[in-house]
Amino acid sequence: MKLQDMIGLAVYEVEEGNEVGKIADVVLDSNWHVTGIEVESKAFLSSHVKVVAWDDIAAYGEDAVMIRSKESIMKTDTDHIPYTFLLGKNKLKDLQVLTTSGTILGRVSDVYFDQKLGNTIVALEISDGLITDLIEGRRWLPCSDGMSIGENSVLVPAMSEERLQKAINIVNG
């Protein structure tokens, strides 16, 4: 499943079956794990967001995410969120992907995780610009040891360009 596909999904609590909002973003850590989801909030200029920890997600699918209860939603200071996918100061989307040998591979356009592996990120979808995406398509890079998230880029091991593959939806779990 792609993280981009999760953005906008309805979030329901399973105790009473009520919709509690929609996913606004996905929270990540530096070890390439999804640690939670951010539920949309009405406050635009707040330093707090509503987050549901991964452990409080009962199930997720193509149409909705099910959380244990309304009490699973915690107000969290944005400074305590290590990384997000789409929004915020430490977002992964659109970060440059750079090898440790100095080769730019493109920019992060999406992130894949395998539902069978839980919350582990398995690959990055990389865009090399609109024209190249249209002509050649996007590529994806399987995650490996030595990948790290920096302030301005994702650093990947040297020779990672040889591991790039055409982006197809085979990582859907």
Side-chain angles (χ1 to χ4, degrees):
M1 178 176 244
K2 292 182 180 185
L3 290 187
Q4 191 75 39
D5 294 340
M6 288 187 81
I7 307 296
L9 286 181
V11 179
Y12 289 87
E13 51 91 16
V14 294
E15 282 184 352
E16 297 178 22
N18 294 326
E19 183 175 342
V20 295
K22 296 194 182 308
I23 296 178
D25 207 346
V26 179
V27 180
L28 311 161
D29 67 15
S30 60
N31 296 316
W32 300 99
H33 291 101
V34 176
T35 59
I37 57 171
E38 183 182 321
V39 179
E40 64 187 9
S41 177
K42 304 267 190 278
F44 287 106
L45 297 174
S46 174
S47 64
H48 291 85
V49 292
K50 297 189 301 185
V51 173
V52 176
W54 186 261
D55 292 339
D56 288 324
I57 296 175
Y60 60 93
E62 293 179 14
D63 301 316
V65 173
M66 310 302 287
I67 63 173
R68 300 195 192 291
S69 68
K70 284 187 242 181
E71 287 73 35
S72 299
I73 302 172
M74 298 296 183
K75 205 174 208 184
T76 305
D77 190 319
T78 55
D79 290 336
H80 293 122
I81 296 176
Y83 302 100
T84 56
F85 170 65
L86 188 61
L87 307 166
K89 62 182 178 180
N90 295 322
K91 68 178 185 166
L92 194 58
K93 185 165 174 56
D94 295 327
L95 274 184
Q96 187 168 262
V97 180
L98 180 66
T99 68
T100 55
S101 58
T103 302
I104 297 172
L105 302 181
R107 295 194 174 273
V108 175
S109 62
D110 213 335
V111 175
Y112 294 89
F113 72 103
D114 189 337
Q115 291 171 296
K116 294 175 187 151
L117 297 175
N119 63 339
T120 302
I121 293 173
V122 295
L124 302 178
E125 186 176 86
I126 299 174
S127 170
D128 205 13
L130 179 62
I131 302 298
T132 304
D133 288 353
L134 290 172
I135 294 170
E136 298 175 16
R138 291 189 176 156
R139 300 165 297 160
W140 64 276
L141 178 66
C143 287
S144 65
D145 291 337
M147 291 177 67
S148 62
I149 305 169
E151 188 175 324
N152 300 309
S153 63
V154 174
L155 289 176
V156 298
M159 308 303 283
S160 288
E161 59 270 23
E162 294 174 5
R163 298 178 51 236
L164 287 171
Q165 301 174 27
K166 274 201 172 276
I168 53 175
N169 288 329
I170 61 168
V171 191
N172 279 343

